[in-house]
DNA sequence: AGTTAAGCGAGACGGTACGTCGAGTCTTTGG
DNA sequence: CCAAAGACTCGACGTACCGTCTCGCTTAACT
């Protein structure tokens, strides 16, 4: 049985330096050219210190993102709720489109996706730690819309989220089409049509 | 100026051996552990012969798939058209779900996606050569439905395809939920609601 | 100025455990593959405890041997003196040959020599603590022979010892020839010829 | 079964660069601090090229020395033979003493000895390729002396060489005494006494 | 007896080098 | 005269130890 390192003795200084270096390097050289060696060098850390605490390069990257999220500890992620579902969704979708267009944001996210695709364990971690909370916030907004009678009360919210976001995600990932505000609006329209409450008998 | 190899003199024997070896190895060891060296060895070919004709590992993989498609050269891909759009879509979507569940199919496709995400040039090639023809067939079916008044006449077919397939694609790629026949049906339902023709008057 | 550890507080338990572990490991894996880490682990001791008390790996090994010699504390090493120099020397040389042939003896001694060759300080320590007393005993026997008129009275005893033992040592170290009783006898013969008293004028 | 590299395709340019770099580095930093990595870097060579052709660091060093000897290909090593054995031996021994005192000579030789002690295969190679020819030349001189009646005709020449050189070698290796011209002379004296022909009648 | 300061086991740390693997290039050889 | 074979340089891999550095925990000596 292999000996496990003792988390109590872990150097927080090194941990932060590694995560920061990983984030910087992913932005600078991209994920494909990212090496453990470079992270260690940039962080001023022995390679073993990385291998000791992370099982794979992908895990480091994921952790680097998690650390970002955690740093704002008050993150009760809440989406705008003005009562006008369509307006709120458009705002959110347009913002998402803009986010995906930002190169500083794009590169690390592509990196993360590359790893996640081929590593189920990492995917699970990603869904739980990063995607999960965000999705929960989105669902909360949709539930509010359901209570307001703006959305079918029996709608499957997981499927609803996919309907809304998956087309955007796919287009971005495969670069199969332009990501514009118009596109965002079109998605909201289609989503609302699909999910609108069935009219009174 | 670098010398270009002369395609006329290219050995078809080597080309086929390389593509076959690539396909086999991707199935056996997965994409992450696939190496040019292994492909060359398996194909009984010098490494240089691979580098001479393909710019990257991803290009070889892509070519390996293209070769498969081309092998049935008469493929005017056509989707079933019984006149009943809902039934036809359910059949197609259920078949797609089943396909994604087949491990022999899954590994190479994940491999391809991994490469495509990080290589725009490859993505373009993929969209043109592999996804394109299939999408065209899907759109043809939808256009037929439009003519039959089962689908909004002014619907954006690109967006329509995304609405239908992207949720499935995302769920498969990120392993974020089960891929079942029920799920396929639910997607078809949502799609039809979103895309149904706006009532008369 | 670095703080010196206080020998009075030194743990004898740890010291013995380290020396024993060092001796065992040298026998088991040989000197080249011997590591401080392994010694510490085997001895159930922190690495620092070794670094605190010994300046180098070679010093630990040397100490391990010294400890062995010291354990028989009455060691007034004395060589047999029957009055018959030739017979006495043959016995001693044959015993030495046999000693060198014992694998349990050979490995540690080779280890020690490896270190000594490249570390003058260690060599000095070795000569003083280990070789010195033994050489003194040998010289005592030769002096006795000089008094008995069996050896040139003006012979340089350091050189005499070298003449007798160095060929054996070299042959063993470089494995340049067989170590047999015959060889031991031949060395004694040559030695006696070289060192016999010059005849009366 | 592992594939063997093909010596015919070996790059002589790389081989020479490696041997030269090894020789230089052993002189500069000593054997203990010599690393394969440094040799490769200095030689402008990939590490693999070293590992491909040599089984160990010691083998590289040995080869580096062999290459030196081979470079003067006509070397019928011959020792001076003026007819005066004592004078000739004194000259040779004094020269040897001087050689051992030269630091540029000392470091590599110590390096070589360190390796040889712990590696029987290397030792055999050393004896055959480096020590062998030199010893043969020395024996030739002694045979000449035997023919001239200056040495016992039945003397074992291997033992003779050891008697003459081993004390010097041991004193140098263990730094157990000064290496002077006087010492060289004393060794010659002792040697001649031990090996002189037994008187007539 | 209680305090305190050392040595101690443990083991994480920044490093260096290891020996291996594969990438992509260059050279030799054989069909 | 192309392409197989494979040796080459390069760089990263993941591992093993180095020697240093905290950590708590004994354990002895000195209040």
């Amino acid at each position: 049985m292999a000996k496990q390192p003792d988390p109590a003795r872990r150097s927080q200084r090194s941990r932060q330096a590694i995560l920061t270096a990983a984030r910087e390097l992913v932005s600078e050289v991209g994920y494909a050219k990212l090496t453990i060696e470079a992270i260690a060098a940039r962080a001023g850390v022995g390679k073993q210190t990385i291998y000791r605490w992370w099982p794979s390069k992908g895990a480091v990257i994921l952790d680097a993102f998690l650390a970002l999220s955690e740093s704002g500890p008050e993150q009760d992620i809440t989406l705008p709720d003005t009562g006008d579902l369509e307006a709120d969704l458009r705002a959110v979708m347009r913002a998402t489109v803009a986010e995906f267009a930002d190169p500083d944001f794009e590169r690390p996210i592509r990196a993360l996706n590359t790893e996640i695709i081929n590593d189920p364990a990492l995917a699970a971690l990603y869904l739980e730690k990063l995607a999960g909370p965000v999705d929960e916030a989105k669902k909360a907004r949709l539930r509010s819309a359901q209570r307001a009678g703006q959305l079918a009360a029996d709608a499957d919210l997981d499927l609803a989220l996919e309907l809304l976001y998956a087309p955007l995600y796919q287009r971005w990932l495969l670069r199969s089409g332009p990501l514009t505000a118009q596109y965002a609006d079109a998605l909201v329209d289609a989503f609302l049509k699909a999910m609108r409450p069935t009219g009174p008998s």
Side-chain angles (χ1 to χ4, degrees), chain A:
Chain A
M1 181 176 152
K3 200 166 2 177
Q4 298 304 323
D6 177 356
R9 290 178 176 260
R10 182 167 190 179
S11 159
Q12 288 309 313
R13 217 186 129 282
S14 295
R15 178 169 187 270
Q16 286 307 329
I18 288 164
L19 296 180
T20 301
R23 246 177 282 125
E24 290 174 5
L25 284 168
V26 142
S27 292
E28 290 171 23
V29 305
Y31 180 77
K33 300 200 167 178
L34 179 66
T35 66
I36 298 273
E37 216 140 55
I39 297 175
R42 167 82 59 111
V45 139
K47 279 196 287 179
Q48 202 59 52
T49 302
I50 299 183
Y51 286 112
R52 184 158 29 234
W53 300 110
W54 288 275
S56 70
K57 197 167 62 169
V60 179
I61 298 292
L62 180 53
D63 232 16
F65 283 83
L66 288 176
L68 266 192
S69 314
E70 285 161 8
S71 60
E74 318 289 291
Q75 82 281 26
D76 292 327
I77 314 163
T78 321
L79 264 49
D81 189 348
T82 64
D84 180 345
L85 178 62
E86 182 171 357
D88 287 355
L89 287 181
R90 289 196 169 190
V92 168
M93 291 300 282
R94 286 173 175 223
T96 306
V97 160
E99 212 175 27
F100 275 141
D102 175 2
D104 282 0
F105 177 86
E106 171 156 23
R107 256 220 280 228
I109 297 296
R110 280 195 192 275
L112 200 45
N113 273 279
T114 305
E115 275 307 272
I116 282 171
I117 289 174
N118 292 295
D119 185 340
L122 210 59
L125 213 56
Y126 164 77
L127 291 175
E128 180 195 341
K129 293 292 178 61
L130 268 184
V134 176
D135 283 356
E136 212 37 65
K138 291 171 184 169
K139 287 189 203 167
R141 178 65 188 86
L142 295 187
R143 267 190 288 267
S144 159
Q146 286 178 314
R147 283 190 299 271
Q150 297 166 327
L151 226 54
D154 61 347
D156 176 341
L157 292 187
D158 285 318
L159 187 141
L161 282 186
E162 285 168 354
L163 218 54
L164 194 52
Y165 285 95
L168 184 53
Y169 172 72
Q170 178 184 278
R171 210 174 248 220
W172 169 75
L173 202 62
L174 305 184
R175 291 177 245 246
S176 51
L179 295 183
T180 61
Q182 291 73 30
Y183 181 63
D185 293 351
L187 279 178
V188 171
D189 284 352
F191 170 77
L192 290 177
K193 274 189 206 153
M195 292 287 148
R196 82 164 63 108
T198 39
S201 61

